[in-house]
Amino acid sequence: MSATTDERLLETSPLRRLLGRPELGSVVGAVAVFLFFAVTADSFLRAASLSTVLYASSTIGIMAVPVALLMIGGEFDLSAGVLVTSSALTSSMFSYQMTANVWVGVGVSLLVTLAIGAFNGFVLTRTKLPSFIVTLGTFLMLTGLNLGLTKLIDDTVSTKSIADMEGFPSARDVFASTLTVGGVDFKVTILWWLGLVALASWILLRTRAGNWIFAVGGNEDAARAVGVPVTKTKIGLYMGVALGAWISGQHLLLSYDVVQSGEGVGNELIYIIAAVIGGCLITGGYGSAVGSAVGALIFGMTSKGIVFAEWNPDWFKFFLGAMLLLATLLNTWVRKRAEASK
Amino acid sequence: MARFRTWAGIAVAGALCVSLAGCSSTGGKRAEDARKAASAGGRAAVDTPRWTFAMITHSGDGDTFWDIVQSGAKQAAVKDNINFLYSHDDEAQQQAQLVDAAVDKKVDGIIVTLAKPDALKAAVARAKKAGIPVITVNSGSAESKAFGALTHIGQDETVAGEAVGEELNKRGRKRAVCVLHEQGNVGHEQRCAGVAKTFTGTVQNLYVTGTNMPDVQSAIEAKLQADTAVDAVVTLGAPYADTAVKAKQSAGSKAEIDTFDLNAKVAAGLADGSLGFAVDQQPYLQGYEAVDLLWLYKYNDDVLGGGKPVLTGPQIITKDQAARLAQYTERGTR
């Protein structure tokens, strides 16, 4: 090749390209956690155990995907955990109070949940307040509404059972069924999770909206200057989180028939942790949907692996924290090495 | 208000049924209304002055158990012509401030829980000094008298745990798991310790995140897969029993699921055999008796239990009683 070739046109080797992927570090971390528990916990490698781990990962992963996208777009959502509960409460109470087919409640809940997501995005872009404050406000309001409205409408703090209502069996099939593959039971949430990862990866890497998300998260002003619809992108990202919350919420409702109104607090941090372990930068502009899935997998393997290994439960949270820290450190180290080799 | 809600609900439901053809012919609110034929209208049964009683608990937000305590207290308040005030905070310091506020308000009686006794000692002493009678409920049986309360109504958590251990022995269980849904809750630790004390087999503790049901399910599932010899799972709260049943099914385990506390789903689970037994401490009774005993003290200077704690549990509930209790759990009083 002649010396005048533009460096942007240089061919990169497949290995180099692989090393530059944001999720590479987390994949190495996941493999390490997997090997660790495969050696220390006897029952970890059984098919049924792995299905349990996948289920635990999927319930985190369904939310970690849109949360990762939002984070790539440079924003936070602290209301994501209770929004799941709000979504479940909405469909349950609507169906019950109106004596409507369960699917009607599920549909109404989709509209309400998306509206709350849009509200987050709208307030954020209109007021220019940091997303931390806006979604903290929504978090507190939703926590109060979940309790207040449930108590007002149902007279108790949990919803009534909708298991005997029409539409329940088919809705349960969609959101909370179990599929048997080769004698092992898998929860349908795993399919939802994989589907969301594929959809989000396609949006991020193959569509114009994906470019907008990276641009908005990388440098908002520069993005606006070149004509990226910043407001639309951000509202869309918050509605994406709402969509994930709706799916998780319906799973919660349809697998347990009743919903406790105080649930969901604290889960928003777990989603954010999964996205960060998966290689999303807290400052925005960098990350991937696959990475968030690997992050959720690490979280699922760690939290359940500790149970499989039968360690002293008094130290459970300590083990969990230490494992997460190690996985993230390994992740960062691998990424640094990869970047240095470029 | 209630009537307006019902009418508005019927109107909207009617509109929706017509427009969406999406009505359920089974279950739902209409079925519940049909069940509730005519409930008793709340009217005072006595003509004593309208005293004000305040109840301050250590409950967190949205707790089913405390909801039942409250409904017991409210029902007694209606009967006894009492103006009933309820407040709660799971932070001990905040709870103490709420007690102080009630004293400042010069209420006629205070009902308080002593989950973290030391933090509430000063506040209870202040109430006594102001001449306000205090009754402790639920937790704090050991401290109640020393703090100057009239009496204590509740269940001893260790005793309740011991009852569970004995029942497990009776059922020939060998290896139990005690599922704690709040790490660091003293009452939870006492319950599991009580089980360990009387149970002749082995007990292992399992901590789960109570605010995240899928996590509770997958953790119990993992435990049952890791240790296939487990033949009993004891949950410490009614909502977790049903989740444990699901975990057992996924894990393909034969373990019996037993639980502390009752709700509609637990009653149904006991009746259909998916749950072994439940230990009830009768939260409705704790609220009802507290208000009633305060009224008796104000009206007639009566003190029940001779100053000794009045126990409301543990009551072991099995399949036989479950059918009878189902209607009461449905309306939220058991």
Side-chain angles (χ1 to χ4, degrees), chain B residues 22-138:
Chain B
C23 270
S24 171
S25 58
T26 51
K29 172 88 170 155
R30 224 184 302 149
E32 183 192 333
D33 288 344
R35 274 196 304 271
K36 280 186 195 164
S39 61
R43 205 174 313 136
V46 292
D47 57 358
T48 44
R50 192 160 174 80
W51 290 312
T52 299
F53 293 168
M55 181 178 210
I56 302 113
T57 73
H58 67 275
S59 160
D61 283 339
D63 191 312
T64 316
F65 180 90
W66 288 102
D67 212 45
I68 301 173
V69 174
Q70 240 192 99
S71 87
K74 277 183 184 154
Q75 201 139 346
V78 169
K79 184 200 68 177
D80 293 341
N81 195 25
I82 298 296
N83 178 27
F84 178 71
L85 308 171
Y86 180 80
S87 55
H88 67 97
D89 205 303
D90 49 4
E91 294 286 333
Q93 201 194 354
Q94 303 289 326
Q95 194 198 348
Q97 287 172 9
L98 289 171
V99 176
D100 282 338
V103 174
D104 295 337
K105 231 184 294 187
K106 297 193 172 64
V107 296
D108 301 292
I110 290 179
I111 300 155
V112 66
T113 63
L114 302 179
K116 288 153 190 162
D118 294 335
L120 285 150
K121 193 172 182 177
V124 173
R126 207 171 149 249
K128 195 175 153 63
K129 207 175 154 211
I132 301 171
V134 176
I135 283 185
T136 59
V137 292
N138 185 255

Side-chain angles (χ1 to χ4, degrees), chain B:
Chain B
M1 182 66 201
R3 204 162 57 192
F4 168 74
R5 253 186 356 241
T6 312
W7 281 112
I10 290 169
V12 177
L16 275 166
C17 287
V18 174
S19 60
L20 298 167
C23 270
S24 171
S25 58
T26 51
K29 172 88 170 155
R30 224 184 302 149
E32 183 192 333
D33 288 344
R35 274 196 304 271
K36 280 186 195 164
S39 61
R43 205 174 313 136
V46 292
D47 57 358
T48 44
R50 192 160 174 80
W51 290 312
T52 299
F53 293 168
M55 181 178 210
I56 302 113
T57 73
H58 67 275
S59 160
D61 283 339
D63 191 312
T64 316
F65 180 90
W66 288 102
D67 212 45
I68 301 173
V69 174
Q70 240 192 99
S71 87
K74 277 183 184 154
Q75 201 139 346
V78 169
K79 184 200 68 177
D80 293 341
N81 195 25
I82 298 296
N83 178 27
F84 178 71
L85 308 171
Y86 180 80
S87 55
H88 67 97
D89 205 303
D90 49 4
E91 294 286 333
Q93 201 194 354
Q94 303 289 326
Q95 194 198 348
Q97 287 172 9
L98 289 171
V99 176
D100 282 338
V103 174
D104 295 337
K105 231 184 294 187
K106 297 193 172 64
V107 296
D108 301 292
I110 290 179
I111 300 155
V112 66
T113 63
L114 302 179
K116 288 153 190 162
D118 294 335
L120 285 150
K121 193 172 182 177
V124 173
R126 207 171 149 249
K128 195 175 153 63
K129 207 175 154 211
I132 301 171
V134 176
I135 283 185
T136 59
V137 292
N138 185 255
S139 36
S141 59
E143 294 82 5
S144 177
K145 200 168 187 186
F147 284 13
L150 284 181
T151 188
H152 177 84
I153 302 158
Q155 159 182 269
D156 186 308
E157 300 292 14
T158 313
V159 172
E162 287 168 5
V164 170
E166 278 156 18
E167 183 69 23
L168 289 174
N169 289 339
K170 217 189 285 170
R171 288 162 180 260
R173 302 285 140 180
K174 295 276 172 287
R175 206 167 166 78
V177 172
C178 197
V179 184
L180 299 93
H181 55 268
E182 268 176 46
Q183 195 157 15
N185 181 318
V186 182
H188 288 186
E189 298 288 345
Q190 285 171 343
R191 285 179 175 185
C192 289
V195 176
K197 203 167 154 192
T198 52
F199 185 44
T200 50
T202 55
V203 188
Q204 295 166 290
N205 287 1
L206 176 70
Y207 295 97
V208 295
T209 313
T211 50
N212 186 345
M213 268 308 176
D215 178 78
V216 176
Q217 180 176 340
S218 51
I220 298 173
E221 224 173 278
K223 183 73 198 172
L224 291 174
Q225 285 162 346
D227 189 348
T228 46
V230 169
D231 57 5
V233 175
V234 180
T235 58
L236 299 189
Y240 306 100
D242 185 53
T243 308
V245 171
K246 294 212 163 62
K248 165 193 163 176
Q249 284 158 358
S250 308
S253 162
K254 293 261 182 299
E256 176 182 277
I257 314 291
D258 306 308
T259 187
F260 282 83
D261 300 346
L262 260 186
N263 67 12
K265 291 209 83 173
V266 168
L270 288 169
D272 70 21
S274 59
L275 297 176
F277 65 91
V279 189
D280 194 17
Q281 59 170 311
Q282 310 191 78
Y284 183 84
L285 204 52
Q286 291 182 2
Y288 190 94
E289 286 296 296
V291 170
D292 226 17
L293 294 190
L294 268 181
W295 179 84
L296 280 167
Y297 177 78
K298 296 283 291 185
Y299 174 70
N300 207 29
D301 218 349
D302 284 330
V303 177
L304 196 69
K308 288 223 173 70
V310 179
L311 298 183
T312 59
Q315 187 193 19
I316 304 260
I317 294 165
T318 55
K319 194 170 185 167
D320 308 333
Q321 298 103 307
R324 221 159 11 99
L325 296 183
Q327 49 175 323
Y328 307 134
T329 56
E330 200 73 44
R331 70 182 186 196
T333 58
R334 270 310 287 260

Side-chain angles (χ1 to χ4, degrees), chain A residues 18-271:
Chain A
L18 179 73
L19 286 174
R21 302 281 315 144
E23 59 272 4
L24 178 78
S26 61
V27 170
V28 174
V31 171
V33 171
F34 179 83
L35 290 177
F36 179 76
F37 282 116
V39 172
T40 52
D42 300 336
S43 43
F44 189 73
L45 281 183
R46 279 190 227 130
S49 309
L50 293 177
S51 138
T52 304
V53 167
L54 276 181
Y55 171 59
S57 308
S58 70
T59 56
I60 299 165
I62 287 173
M63 284 304 283
V65 171
V67 165
L69 253 55
L70 180 70
M71 215 182 249
I72 296 170
E75 302 294 347
F76 259 95
D77 191 349
L78 296 179
S79 67
V82 279
L83 186 55
V84 172
T85 312
S86 306
S87 180
L89 289 172
T90 308
S91 37
S92 170
M93 285 195 290
F94 191 89
S95 301
Y96 189 88
Q97 295 298 327
M98 301 300 157
T99 318
N101 189 299
V102 169
W103 280 104
V104 177
V106 170
V108 170
S109 168
L110 177 64
L111 296 180
V112 171
T113 315
L114 285 178
I116 297 170
F119 170 81
N120 269 336
F122 180 77
V123 172
L124 180 96
T125 48
R126 257 306 165 87
T127 60
K128 308 260 188 274
L129 286 172
S131 59
F132 186 87
I133 297 296
V134 172
T135 59
L136 187 64
T138 318
F139 161 76
L140 291 171
M141 288 193 291
L142 285 180
T143 313
L145 277 177
N146 283 356
L147 273 173
L149 281 180
T150 310
K151 190 83 208 252
L152 186 71
I153 294 170
D154 263 0
D155 276 335
T156 61
V157 291
S158 67
T159 63
K160 307 253 169 59
S161 171
I162 57 162
D164 56 351
M165 295 180 64
E166 273 177 17
F168 185 84
S170 58
R172 169 172 269 182
D173 283 348
V174 172
F175 290 102
S177 57
T178 305
L179 314 164
T180 310
V181 182
V184 185
D185 292 338
F186 290 96
K187 293 273 171 11
V188 75
T189 46
I190 300 170
L191 289 182
W192 279 100
W193 179 34
L194 296 178
L196 278 180
V197 173
L199 176 70
S201 295
W202 177 75
I203 291 174
L204 269 183
L205 303 175
R206 290 273 178 273
T207 69
R208 205 160 51 150
N211 282 333
W212 292 345
I213 295 171
F214 280 109
V216 165
N219 187 333
E220 195 179 318
D221 295 327
R224 190 175 281 118
V226 296
V228 170
V230 174
T231 306
K232 215 166 92 179
T233 309
K234 292 206 165 168
I235 293 178
L237 286 172
Y238 275 105
M239 290 176 77
V241 175
L243 181 72
W246 175 72
I247 297 170
S248 307
Q250 304 317 301
H251 169 67
L252 200 64
L253 168 64
L254 293 158
S255 51
Y256 304 111
D257 320 342
V258 292
V259 191
Q260 300 284 321
S261 56
E263 265 184 44
V265 178
N267 291 352
E268 62 282 343
L269 286 179
I270 293 174
Y271 309 143

Side-chain angles (χ1 to χ4, degrees), chain A residues 269-310:
Chain A
L269 286 179
I270 293 174
Y271 309 143
I272 293 171
I273 291 168
V276 172
I277 294 176
C280 285
L281 284 187
I282 296 181
T283 46
Y286 188 80
S288 73
V290 176
S292 79
V294 181
L297 191 62
I298 291 182
F299 206 93
M301 284 196 294
T302 312
S303 62
K304 298 294 125 34
I306 289 169
V307 181
F308 283 120
E310 307 212 275

